[in-house]
């Protein structure tokens, strides 16, 4: 991709966000739904899985940042669709790629990522969803919870226990025995159409197994989550940008008995923290993207750090943004209330803040004692 191609693509994404996404984000959030025509536009712009058509990861990160600036619910759909598409591309055999990738590329088929069950998400090894061998196929039973895009996805990248270990399966939504139960009233990313996916004697052939049998941990799951973390980190940068934009505009126009808010030093301190947090988060995401493009193993840790920093910074900036809006920040008339709820979710998904702290510190100890 030339520098000009990249700029044309990013300009188109920015225009889409400003004209078609951001003005309707509160409505989508209230309705807990993203309209079909919007999802179609994402496909027309080639944004569902741009890495499948040669767009470098650093640019994918910039796209997810822009979408995150407009609407974290849509960015969440891009995240899980990307995780499924990335996995088929990297772990699928020729037949699986031929069968699934064309429709995942143009978004006529949406993918979702189904790892977490009601039994817990931080430790996937506790998965209660099982896949048992029967003849030359598999029977899956269990329940997956909090599945982003679960209401609209046509293909689930789903993890189930095969014996003592986990295996990844590609489960078409229309397989008999699959039931989708929509989830409502979630704190943030409310329009990301979450669902529980219930599996009741779901019969699949060997062609549904993605990657090595019994080795999903460390292969399919790890690389999908790595993609997801990069997307969420980048989307968090977009949230910070949106918080900064909204707060600068509001404090410029809002006047108290002492004059305009923007003249107050305590207000400027919060703004300067947002600007600095935006810059550091963006730089960490770009570094992770560049290392990914270079297929450098250091990309994995750079990505953990980027996600940890960007998501915690987004939560802090969104809190400051609501604070500086006062009561107005608690109303749906200003986007900061939505940004505040969405930012909190970024600290939980694709590896919670605590898991990132554990992983980053563990790496430090390994490096020192090596
Ligand atoms: C909006 C939303 C969308 C989601 N989308 C998806 C999706 O598309 N697909 C999917 O599979 N899942 C999805 N999830 C689930 C998400 O991945 C899990 O919520 C997450 O992995 C945490 O798991 P849990 O909620 O079961 O928390 P638990 O594992 O029960 O953990 C609870 C708390 O304890 C902390 N904790 C856990 N272990 C430790 C430890 N060893 N040390 C210190 N603290 C610890 C955690 O950080 C967390 O704060 C989504 C969740 C939300 C809220």
């Amino acid at each position: 991709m030339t520098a000009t191609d990249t700029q044309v693509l990013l300009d188109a994404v920015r225009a889409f966000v400003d004209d078609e996404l951001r003005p309707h984000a509160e409505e989508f959030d209230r309705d807990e739904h993203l309209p079909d025509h919007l999802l179609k536009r994402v496909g027309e712009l080639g944004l569902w899985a741009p890495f499948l058509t040669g767009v470098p990861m650093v640019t994918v990160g910039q796209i997810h940042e822009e979408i995150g600036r407009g609407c974290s619910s849509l960015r969440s759909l891009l995240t899980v669709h990307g995780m499924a598409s990335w996995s088929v591309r990297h772990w699928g055999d020729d037949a699986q790629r031929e069968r699934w990738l064309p429709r995942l590329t143009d978004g006529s088929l949406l993918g979702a990522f189904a790892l977490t069950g009601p039994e817990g998400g931080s430790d996937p090894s506790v998965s209660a969803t099982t896949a048992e061998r029967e003849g030359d196929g598999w029977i899956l039973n269990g329940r997956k919870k909090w599945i982003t895009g679960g209401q609209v996805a046509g293909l689930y990248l789903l993890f189930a226990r095969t014996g003592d270990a986990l295996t990844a399966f590609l489960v078409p939504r229309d397989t008999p025995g699959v039931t989708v139960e929509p989830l409502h009233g979630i704190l943030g990313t409310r329009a990301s159409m979450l669902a529980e996916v219930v599996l009741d004697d779901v019969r699949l052939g060997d062609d549904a197994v993605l990657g090595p049998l019994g080795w999903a941990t460390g292969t399919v799951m790890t690389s999908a989550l790595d993609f997801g973390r990069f997307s969420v980190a980048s989307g968090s940068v977009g949230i910070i940008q949106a918080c900064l934009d909204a707060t600068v505009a509001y404090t410029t126009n809002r006047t108290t008995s002492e004059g305009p808010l923007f003249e107050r030093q305590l207000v400027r301190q919060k703004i300067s923290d947002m600007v600095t947090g935006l810059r550091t988060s963006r730089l960490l995401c770009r570094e992770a993207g560049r290392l990914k493009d270079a297929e450098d193993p250091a990309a994995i840790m750079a990505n953990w750090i980027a996600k940890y920093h960007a998501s915690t910074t987004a939560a802090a900036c969104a809190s400051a943004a609501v604070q500086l809006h006062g009561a107005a920040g608690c109303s749906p008339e200003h986007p900061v209330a939505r940004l505040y709820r969405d930012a909190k979710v970024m600290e939980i998904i694709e590896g919670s803040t605590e898991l990132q702290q554990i992983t980053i510190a563990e790496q430090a100890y390994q490096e020192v004692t090596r």
Side-chain angles (χ1 to χ4, degrees), residues 80 113 115-116 120-122 146-148 189 345 348-349 352 354 358:
V80 295
F113 177 82
L115 174 63
T116 311
S122 300
W146 318 116
I147 306 310
T148 297
T189 62
V345 170
I348 293 169
I349 56 176
S352 64
E354 289 75 19
I358 290 167

Side-chain angles (χ1 to χ4, degrees), residues 34-336:
L34 294 172
D36 290 347
H37 67 81
L38 187 89
L39 304 186
K40 203 164 159 250
R41 276 291 289 143
V42 175
E44 285 164 7
L45 289 162
L47 303 182
W48 281 114
F51 51 87
L52 292 177
T53 53
V55 174
M57 286 307 287
V58 75
T59 311
V60 172
Q62 288 173 284
I63 293 169
H64 286 213
E65 175 187 327
E66 267 302 307
I67 303 288
R69 181 172 66 86
C71 172
S72 289
S73 292
L74 178 58
R75 200 271 313 131
S76 285
L77 287 200
L78 292 188
T79 302
V80 295
H81 179 83
M83 292 164 85
S85 307
W86 181 271
S87 301
V88 174
R89 179 198 171 159
H90 286 271
W91 299 102
D93 57 28
D94 288 346
Q96 287 170 323
R97 290 181 192 194
E98 221 166 279
R99 180 175 177 193
W100 299 116
L101 284 184
R103 285 184 292 151
L104 289 170
T105 304
D106 66 18
S108 52
L109 176 75
L110 294 186
F113 177 82
L115 174 63
T116 311
E119 61 280 2
S122 300
D123 178 6
S125 68
V126 302
S127 171
T129 298
T130 57
E132 288 183 8
R133 198 73 173 142
E134 197 201 58
D136 55 2
W138 298 91
I139 301 188
L140 275 67
N141 278 291
R143 175 180 284 266
K144 295 294 181 181
K145 202 167 180 183
W146 318 116
I147 306 310
T148 297
Q151 295 176 34
V152 287
L155 184 68
Y156 302 107
L157 170 60
L158 187 142
F159 297 84
R161 172 168 298 288
T162 45
D164 287 341
L166 292 182
T167 295
F169 290 86
L170 292 169
V171 184
R173 181 210 179 106
D174 57 8
T175 314
V178 174
T179 315
V180 175
E181 299 174 358
L183 289 170
H184 295 291
I186 302 292
L187 175 73
T189 62
R190 279 194 179 158
S192 62
M193 298 179 280
L194 267 82
E196 287 198 34
V197 177
V198 184
L199 305 136
D200 185 11
D201 283 339
V202 173
R203 284 161 202 276
L204 296 168
D206 271 336
D207 59 350
V209 173
L210 186 71
L213 188 63
W215 287 101
T217 312
T219 59
V220 185
M221 186 194 303
T222 305
S223 69
L225 286 170
D226 183 60
F227 178 92
R229 262 191 288 282
F230 181 61
S231 167
V232 170
S234 303
S236 298
V237 178
I239 292 177
I240 303 169
Q241 181 72 66
C243 288
L244 177 65
D245 293 346
T247 310
V248 166
Y250 187 78
T251 53
T252 300
N253 295 317
R254 178 74 175 168
T255 303
T256 65
S257 58
E258 293 176 345
L261 277 182
F262 76 91
E263 288 179 352
R264 307 273 76 83
Q265 286 182 335
L266 282 173
V267 171
R268 286 178 176 241
Q269 185 237 330
K270 286 187 173 61
I271 296 293
S272 73
D273 284 352
M274 281 189 206
V275 171
T276 308
L278 175 63
R279 181 74 66 94
T280 51
S281 301
R282 187 175 276 148
L283 285 172
L284 286 170
C285 286
R286 297 288 188 278
E287 183 200 28
R290 272 194 297 275
L291 290 169
K292 276 177 177 301
D293 285 327
E295 296 183 8
D296 188 324
I300 294 175
M301 187 45 61
N303 201 22
W304 276 101
I305 294 169
K307 199 277 182 172
Y308 173 50
H309 185 75
S311 61
T312 51
T313 303
C317 288
S319 176
V322 171
Q323 192 69 24
L324 287 179
H325 279 69
C330 303
S331 107
E333 282 164 34
H334 290 269
V336 292

